[in-house]
Amino acid sequence: MVQGGIEMSVRMNATRQAGCRPHVAAFAAGIALSLASLSPLGAAPFEEFEASRSVLARATAGEGRIGSERVVSDRAVSPTTPTPAGDQDAFVGDLPNGYHDDGCVGDSGLLGACPPMCPPLCEPDCIAWVGRVDALIAWRSAPPDRPLVETGLSGVPVLNANGMDSTAAAGPRFSIFRFNHARGTGWETSFFQLANWRSERPLAAQSNGYALAPPGFYGNTNTFNFDTGVANLGSRLKSLEVNRHWVLGENLNFLAGFRWVEWEESFSLTDEFVGTATIQDFYRTDAMNSLYGGQIGLDAVLFTLPWMRVDSVVKAGVYGNNAVQTSLYQSDATGGFLSQSVTVGESPVSAAFLGEVGITGVVPVTDWLDIRVGYSGWWLSGIVQPTQQLSGQVLTQPAGGIEPTSGTITANGGVLVQAVTLGLEGRW
């Protein structure tokens, strides 16, 4: 096997530095850092690899030194002289004749010098594992432009969907990697969840001060003014992905795989008019997007310093969007309390896009444990958002209308999610 087949990416080299020692107890302690309270989603009112090396670590045997691209041994290995079993000096260069690329045992049956990534005793296929746990604190962009409320007399805009910025959400991210250092490949499985983004916009009490902004909600226009109200927006994000990694160089991996993403969002508006009788209206739309599809990406080490390194990742994919939206209108405008709703779903409703970028600073603590601090960003487009559905439904009977119920679904929304991350990485 040629040198390029032995020399793994910087991320994959580090996994062998920990040998095969399990550190389950210490690594599990890091999981507690990422757990966040995930309350139920609602809005009315809102209730509710990449395995990386340690640049400070030593070679498994011998003092070792930090090479320009990898950790190498201070002691040379003769291509013609097998190394005794258990000696883990790094071998730099082509494997000697007679050695297989799927392990360290040659046709002669002799146990030879392991490549630098092999675990003790040259175990077949040079398998290594990496686990990560991160805590994420994330912010989302506001929904696209859509007028919601205006003043009742002059028609001046009061509230627009693009002004409903949300508070931060939090959640965990878990990743597990399995690498075959001899073949230069690996598998990755990652999951994260972020909840709950919340935005609340109250309208101060003002007699006949407000009206629904054109074109209204669900076919109801601004015929009826109201005195006060409150708008709520809530959302959450989930993602599960499985990727295959291939080494392109010591600092670069190519990846491809499958990803499932779920974007859930809910909008509601409650208003109240106080006259000879008190009239209340309640509008709510919930939207669920389930995205399924393939993605490709690059995983790279940008640069290293004596005390840290900087990792980066870029991913992009096109997904089918199995989406559903449910709209509900309740009112006592006609004297009695009436409720009307419609649910519309399509599979797929559109082709959606998801792009991801990340950059992370990694500081080694031991030869098997690192601290990670970084940034992650996700851009989703072609999704169903509730504020974009308000004009596509007909729900007028609670306000005295006679039109039959009807509904549509529109997938023209987009959202940007950005997060700061803090976590641990362990290797065994």
Side-chain angles (χ1 to χ4, degrees):
M1 180 178 180
V2 296
Q3 180 174 350
I6 299 176
E7 296 179 356
M8 305 299 298
S9 71
V10 172
R11 300 173 178 285
M12 300 175 73
N13 282 347
T15 59
R16 66 102 162 80
Q17 297 169 11
C20 297
R21 297 171 297 166
H23 300 280
V24 176
F27 179 69
I31 295 179
L33 297 176
S34 68
L35 298 180
S37 176
L38 305 177
S39 56
L41 178 68
F46 204 108
E47 297 173 0
E48 287 247 80
F49 160 86
E50 278 174 329
S52 48
R53 71 171 182 178
S54 171
V55 296
L56 299 184
R58 295 178 177 181
T60 306
E63 285 297 312
R65 65 181 184 275
I66 304 300
S68 60
E69 299 295 338
R70 60 193 182 281
V71 177
V72 299
S73 172
D74 281 332
R75 290 178 286 173
V77 179
S78 171
T80 61
T81 304
T83 302
D87 192 335
Q88 297 303 305
D89 283 345
F91 183 85
V92 181
D94 295 340
L95 279 175
N97 292 333
Y99 289 95
H100 294 302
D101 64 359
D102 59 348
C104 304
V105 180
D107 292 333
S108 64
L110 298 176
L111 189 63
C114 286
M117 67 293 296
C118 282
L121 301 183
C122 301
E123 292 177 355
D125 297 329
C126 299
I127 302 301
W129 294 83
V130 174
R132 290 178 179 173
V133 58
D134 296 297
L136 284 67
I137 302 177
W139 292 263
R140 58 154 293 180
S141 61
D145 174 78
R146 207 296 185 176
L148 301 174
V149 179
E150 64 181 16
T151 56
L153 299 178
S154 58
V156 176
V158 173
L159 180 62
N160 192 301
N162 63 15
M164 298 194 69
D165 298 310
S166 300
T167 57
R173 178 170 60 190
F174 303 98
S175 302
I176 187 74
F177 302 81
R178 181 183 186 272
F179 288 106
N180 185 323
H181 289 305
R183 293 187 172 91
T185 59
W187 285 98
E188 167 200 357
T189 301
S190 295
F191 171 82
F192 74 85
Q193 173 169 312
L194 291 167
N196 286 313
W197 285 285
R198 305 183 179 189
S199 179
E200 183 177 270
R201 295 294 184 271
L203 302 173
Q206 188 170 249
S207 180
N208 287 308
Y210 308 102
L212 298 180
F217 290 10
Y218 315 149
N220 300 282
T221 62
N222 60 354
T223 304
F224 302 102
N225 292 354
F226 53 93
D227 303 330
T228 187
V230 59
N232 282 277
L233 180 71
S235 52
R236 64 161 53 103
L237 174 65
K238 296 179 183 178
S239 172
L240 175 65
E241 58 185 304
V242 178
N243 298 307
R244 179 73 160 169
H245 288 245
W246 293 270
V247 176
L248 299 183
E250 293 210 16
N251 295 302
L252 184 65
N253 285 0
F254 173 80
L255 64 89
F258 173 83
R259 191 167 195 167
W260 164 78
V261 178
E262 183 178 273
W263 175 261
E264 183 180 358
E265 195 169 352
S266 180
F267 169 81
S268 71
L269 175 68
T270 302
D271 66 53
E272 183 176 276
F273 169 77
V274 179
T276 55
T278 299
I279 299 175
Q280 294 181 323
D281 297 294
F282 176 65
Y283 309 87
R284 174 169 176 159
T285 295
D286 299 324
M288 174 70 77
N289 300 266
S290 293
L291 280 58
Y292 301 86
Q295 67 177 0
I296 59 174
L298 295 174
D299 186 7
V301 174
L302 296 183
F303 63 89
T304 62
L305 298 173
W307 57 277
M308 73 170 294
R309 74 173 188 277
V310 177
D311 297 344
S312 65
V313 65
V314 178
K315 304 174 186 177
V318 177
Y319 305 82
N321 185 2
N322 299 332
V324 61
Q325 72 86 14
T326 298
S327 295
L328 169 70
Y329 176 37
Q330 298 175 327
S331 178
D332 56 3
T334 60
F337 179 81
L338 294 178
S339 180
Q340 195 174 14
S341 65
V342 62
T343 297
V344 183
E346 290 188 28
S347 179
V349 66
S350 68
F353 170 81
L354 172 64
E356 176 181 348
V357 297
I359 183 168
T360 304
V362 183
V363 179
V365 177
T366 70
D367 61 351
W368 64 272
L369 183 67
D370 298 340
I371 293 176
R372 299 164 44 83
V373 180
Y375 163 88
S376 293
W378 301 268
W379 168 251
L380 289 84
S381 64
I383 59 174
V384 176
Q385 293 188 270
T387 53
Q388 302 300 100
Q389 315 306 309
L390 301 178
S391 302
Q393 325 308 319
V394 177
L395 303 171
T396 62
Q397 294 177 16
I402 59 174
E403 295 88 347
T405 300
S406 65
T408 62
I409 188 168
T410 303
N412 60 356
V415 64
L416 173 64
V417 175
Q418 302 182 82
V420 293
T421 66
L422 174 63
L424 296 174
E425 175 183 297
R427 296 176 296 278
W428 63 95

